[in-house]
Amino acid sequence: MKVVIIGGGIAGLTMGILLRKKNVEVVVNERSVGMPVRGHAFLMHQDGLAILKELNPNADIPLPGKKISSFSLRRPNGNEIKHIQLHSWQCIKRIDLIRFLYNALPHSVIKEGRTFSHFIYENDKAVAAVFSNGDVEYGDIFIGADGGNSKVRELILGKVKFTPVNVKEVVGVTANTKRKSKAVSNEFIKFQNKNNGLAFGMIPTSGNEYVWFMQYDPAISDLIHNTPEELKSFCFKLLKKFPASVTDLLEGNDFSTTYVWNTRDFDLLPTFHKENIVLIGDAAHLALPFTSAGTTNAIVDAEILAKSLEHYDNYEDAFRKYYALRAHDVSNHINLGRELKSLFLNPQSHNDDDIPVPLIASKEDYSAAGKNKLIQVLYFTDPICSTCWIIQPLLRKLSLEYGKYIHIEYRMGGLLPSWDNYNKGKIRKPSDAAKHWEEVCVSHEMPLDGDIWEEDPLPSSYPPSIAFKAAQMQDTGKAILFLRRIKEMVFLEKKNIIRWPFLEKAAFEVGLDSARLLRDFDGKAKEMFRDDLILADQLGVRSFPTLFFRNGSDQQFAIRGFQPYQNFEDIVYKLIPGAEKEEINPDPYYLFNQFPTMTNKEFALLSNISKDEAGKLLNDLYMKGDIDKYESKNGVIWISKFDVMKYPNVA
């Protein structure tokens, strides 16, 4: 079988490499002579990066580009409205990626100077591609990878209806010498106007070099003559009220290499092929740039089509399978791009909390997913409750063994309003709490460092409790991770978690929008916390933890304080007599993908091994570089370094 690829951009080159790895004869036809250099830089998701790693002929040579670890959305006055950690995104200059792909293909495979003209057909099937220079390339399968203005697509499926150009984008790459690159070393910063369609984004490509873009509504203002001088003047005029960092980039930019992108897209095609001709990349689907999905989609297209051709003897079946696997995601990206375009053009129609972040994949809502489970648990807890900390191993085991039956709803109980007239058993002042924590650590083998109560005592547990309610407003699954993280901060790291920098750091680390967390913390979260306190009082909650278990028949049982795991199991069987326990997979990779941090006791309990065995195994994983650790005075917490992290069922 011989495959003729029309278009030597990223999609076409990736397709050629993948097919050659499967010993398929390939010819890649590119209209330009020499390595294509048009284009500046783009963001690529892990889906595309993983495929590129497989193509890398030398694993010791890293992929081109710079990892982007966070996204900050700001107003032109500098006010930050979103700040989110990013996973698995990388900024890559187009020329670097093209060079990388060129090096993975023999030069003889790439035929340059070939502008596609038409096909030669026999019995309704293409047998050759004809190029305007007179060259003819015969083959069995033809792949159109010739971009958004694809002539291949037009010949086999007719003309598409492009959407109007409602947004234009000026794109450039520049070295910024006026700012220290460290300030935005791995951060994608975007300034978005609140009143009209105007935004400026800056993404580091390497060192002190940035790709920048200005998105604008041409109804506000537009270029008449696209000369470098006019383009420079135009950008400075529109962005005159933006921060100095924007001006710095523009002043160092070479506008002779800057271009204007007229953004548009078209509806999802009913098919990506006709007979033995198939489309990939922008030729098959063109999305608006707001989603940063274009390059990743092109690479994923190539991989899925290559695998489909390998697994099906009939190319028609392979093409149908390829379309079936890609159409849903492509449609979502097209719709998301249009939604973001509408938001961009009408920014006053949304408040800051509702602005979507296109680089973040949406997750299933933990709370909604659990409402139909047979056992509903109302859990009253507190971020500084030592007993709530020592039952963590039990709750984690419960979630793995009976999680298919149980949904836990987290409520804050308000353990420490203040130290004024506080009297909980033997604890009346911070030094009493310090002694209590040390005793709990010894008796329950969970690390706690009571020194915080001597060195920097918390005056109240209300602020971190309110912060948790703010986290719940964003994402109930990530809120559980947030609660776990602030507990680690206070119990092991001696961090005073009433202070905003620690709460902000914890939110950012677990993937929450820390800028929104602050707004909600000062707003509705306080009301939600008061509702929790009222409910706790109505239900007679006097100690923590308190867990109310209820089934669909309104049978209810409660657990108060620390109790052995057998008591939890007994309640499950009382509420569901036929409940079946799931066997826990003891593989550390599995466990750390369920719970990204674990103590020795947690790992031992979940693995069903002794604490000494757990310590040895965990240390071996640490020496291999699979996990990291934080050592406190009274114990260690182990931190996953594996790529995959799922929402846990409990913190």
Side-chain angles (χ1 to χ4, degrees):
M1 179 175 70
K2 179 181 176 181
V3 176
V4 177
I5 299 172
I6 300 166
I10 292 169
L13 292 172
T14 305
M15 191 78 237
I17 297 167
L18 289 168
L19 290 176
R20 276 186 57 83
K21 288 172 72 74
K22 302 178 188 301
N23 298 315
V24 175
E25 183 182 359
V26 176
V27 176
V28 179
N29 302 275
E30 167 57 31
R31 64 183 178 183
S32 62
V33 177
M35 194 176 299
V37 296
R38 190 176 186 277
H40 284 84
F42 45 78
L43 283 171
M44 183 177 292
H45 187 257
Q46 175 61 30
D47 292 347
L49 295 172
I51 297 169
L52 292 180
K53 288 178 182 178
E54 294 178 5
L55 303 183
N56 195 349
N58 188 345
D60 295 330
I61 300 177
L63 291 175
K66 186 175 182 66
K67 182 179 179 181
I68 305 302
S69 58
S70 63
F71 171 74
S72 175
L73 182 63
R74 307 174 187 180
R75 294 304 183 198
N77 63 7
N79 289 343
E80 188 173 54
I81 59 174
K82 285 193 179 295
H83 188 209
I84 294 176
Q85 186 178 34
L86 298 181
H87 295 285
S88 308
W89 286 91
Q90 196 154 315
C91 185
I92 303 178
K93 293 176 71 173
R94 189 175 189 276
I95 182 61
D96 291 340
L97 181 54
I98 291 289
R99 186 180 294 114
F100 169 84
L101 296 172
Y102 258 68
N103 290 337
L105 272 175
H107 188 69
S108 59
V109 169
I110 304 173
K111 305 297 183 182
E112 299 175 346
R114 286 183 166 183
T115 300
F116 175 71
S117 173
H118 61 277
F119 292 109
I120 297 174
Y121 291 90
E122 290 181 6
N123 300 321
D124 295 326
K125 292 183 181 179
V127 296
V130 181
F131 302 92
S132 58
N133 64 357
D135 288 351
V136 178
E137 194 69 54
Y138 286 85
D140 302 298
I141 289 176
F142 298 84
I143 299 177
D146 51 340
N149 295 317
S150 171
K151 189 168 184 179
V152 176
R153 180 185 65 234
E154 183 176 335
L155 286 175
I156 66 171
L157 299 177
K159 290 186 177 182
V160 297
K161 183 178 180 181
F162 289 100
T163 54
V165 179
N166 300 123
V167 178
K168 293 187 178 182
E169 188 167 296
V170 182
V171 185
V173 173
T174 183
N176 184 357
T177 58
K178 292 192 175 184
R179 301 189 69 210
K180 293 181 179 180
S181 60
K182 192 174 182 180
V184 288
S185 58
N186 293 89
E187 189 166 42
F188 170 16
I189 299 176
K190 186 174 183 179
F191 299 95
Q192 180 105 31
N193 201 311
K194 175 65 176 176
N195 300 314
N196 56 27
L198 180 64
F200 183 91
M202 47 196 290
I203 313 170
T205 58
S206 62
N208 204 32
E209 185 180 66
Y210 299 81
V211 59
W212 62 269
F213 60 87
M214 180 181 76
Q215 295 167 332
Y216 69 96
D217 178 357
I220 300 173
S221 182
D222 204 3
L223 289 159
I224 300 174
H225 305 292
N226 190 9
T227 64
E229 294 76 16
E230 184 183 2
L231 186 55
K232 180 178 180 178
S233 175
F234 179 70
C235 290
F236 273 97
K237 181 183 74 172
L238 285 187
L239 300 170
K240 63 182 179 181
K241 293 185 178 180
F242 280 60
S245 57
V246 173
T247 304
D248 289 348
L249 280 179
L250 295 180
E251 287 179 347
N253 185 68
D254 179 2
F255 281 88
S256 67
T257 63
T258 302
Y259 67 91
V260 180
W261 185 0
N262 297 320
T263 68
R264 57 183 184 167
D265 69 0
F266 53 82
D267 291 340
L268 176 68
L269 298 171
T271 179
F272 291 158
H273 82 281
K274 183 176 182 181
E275 293 292 344
N276 59 335
I277 305 170
V278 65
L279 306 170
I280 63 172
D282 286 350
H285 43 75
L286 186 64
L288 292 166
F290 298 99
T291 61
S292 296
T295 306
T296 296
N297 275 339
I299 293 173
V300 173
D301 280 357
E303 184 194 44
I304 291 179
L305 178 56
K307 287 182 176 179
S308 297
L309 287 168
E310 181 182 20
H311 293 148
Y312 289 89
D313 294 331
N314 186 305
Y315 63 76
E316 285 266 8
D317 291 339
F319 293 164
R320 291 190 187 98
K321 182 63 175 178
Y322 157 62
Y323 182 84
L325 291 172
R326 294 297 291 137
H328 178 73
D329 283 348
V330 166
S331 178
N332 284 344
H333 289 147
I334 292 171
N335 291 332
L336 176 59
R338 292 174 178 179
E339 175 189 347
L340 292 170
K341 180 180 77 170
S342 176
L343 173 61
F344 175 80
L345 294 170
N346 304 282
Q348 294 175 319
S349 64
H350 288 71
N351 63 44
D352 293 346
D353 292 344
D354 294 334
I355 298 175
V357 179
L359 302 181
I360 305 298
S362 61
K363 299 289 185 182
E364 178 184 20
D365 182 76
Y366 166 80
S367 178
K371 291 298 185 183
N372 294 325
K373 291 189 177 182
L374 297 177
I375 298 176
Q376 298 295 313
V377 180
L378 203 58
Y379 176 26
F380 287 89
T381 182
D382 188 276
I384 67 168
C385 170
S386 59
T387 311
C388 298
W389 175 244
I390 64 176
I391 72 162
Q392 291 274 276
L394 307 184
L395 292 180
R396 288 184 157 187
K397 185 175 183 180
L398 187 73
S399 73
L400 293 182
E401 291 188 335
Y402 301 100
K404 63 183 177 182
Y405 303 116
I406 297 173
H407 170 250
I408 300 178
E409 180 180 347
Y410 283 71
R411 297 293 187 120
M412 293 290 102
L415 174 63
L416 178 62
S418 73
W419 286 107
D420 297 338
N421 302 316
Y422 182 81
N423 184 357
K424 292 285 186 181
K426 298 179 180 179
I427 300 177
R428 292 178 172 81
K429 57 185 181 298
S431 59
D432 295 335
K435 181 181 178 182
H436 176 68
W437 278 25
E438 296 292 328
E439 293 171 349
V440 168
C441 175
V442 172
S443 60
H444 290 278
E445 299 180 314
M446 279 286 282
L448 296 92
D449 190 342
D451 288 351
I452 187 174
W453 294 109
E454 303 285 359
E455 299 170 3
D456 190 10
L458 283 73
S460 171
S461 68
Y462 278 26
S465 298
I466 295 168
F468 173 75
K469 302 310 292 185
Q472 281 186 315
M473 291 174 65
Q474 283 190 49
D475 186 305
T476 52
K478 289 180 181 177
I480 297 172
L481 293 173
F482 173 75
L483 181 60
R484 170 72 182 205
R485 183 68 190 102
I486 60 175
K487 285 182 178 181
E488 293 168 355
M489 284 180 165
V490 70
F491 290 124
L492 283 85
E493 301 171 26
K494 298 190 295 183
K495 298 288 196 304
N496 189 326
I497 56 172
I498 71 162
R499 296 197 174 110
W500 175 249
F502 296 131
L503 297 173
E504 180 184 38
K505 183 175 185 289
F508 182 77
E509 287 177 348
V510 303
L512 289 165
D513 178 351
S514 58
R516 178 183 170 184
L517 191 87
L518 178 58
R519 292 196 300 274
D520 291 336
F521 179 87
D522 290 332
K524 190 177 178 182
K526 293 180 180 178
E527 180 184 338
M528 293 174 64
F529 176 56
R530 285 194 296 269
D531 290 343
D532 281 3
L533 296 183
I534 292 170
L535 181 60
D537 185 62
Q538 291 173 343
L539 295 176
V541 176
R542 298 289 180 266
S543 62
F544 307 104
T546 295
L547 300 97
F548 297 102
F549 293 72
R550 176 176 294 178
N551 63 11
S553 301
D554 282 338
Q555 289 179 283
Q556 180 170 297
F557 298 92
I559 282 182
R560 294 179 172 86
F562 182 84
Q563 296 191 28
Y565 185 68
Q566 183 63 50
N567 290 15
F568 289 86
E569 283 192 300
D570 289 345
I571 288 176
V572 172
Y573 291 125
K574 287 176 182 176
L575 294 174
I576 309 176
E580 296 179 357
K581 179 192 298 188
E582 293 284 339
E583 292 294 325
I584 298 177
N585 181 354
D587 186 337
Y589 295 85
Y590 169 79
L591 292 176
F592 273 105
N593 281 332
Q594 298 299 311
F595 308 110
T597 60
M598 282 187 281
T599 62
N600 283 35
K601 182 169 184 178
E602 288 172 320
F603 186 82
L605 183 67
L606 299 179
S607 303
N608 195 28
I609 57 178
S610 71
K611 194 176 176 185
D612 288 342
E613 290 175 302
K616 182 179 183 305
L617 200 160
L618 289 165
N619 194 61
D620 289 344
L621 289 171
Y622 172 73
M623 297 303 294
K624 287 170 57 181
D626 289 333
I627 59 176
D628 206 344
K629 66 178 177 179
Y630 179 87
E631 296 186 72
S632 73
K633 182 186 75 174
N634 292 329
V636 177
I637 194 155
W638 304 90
I639 306 159
S640 174
K641 293 171 69 176
F642 304 138
D643 289 337
V644 180
M645 184 176 74
K646 301 177 182 177
Y647 286 161
N649 290 317
V650 295

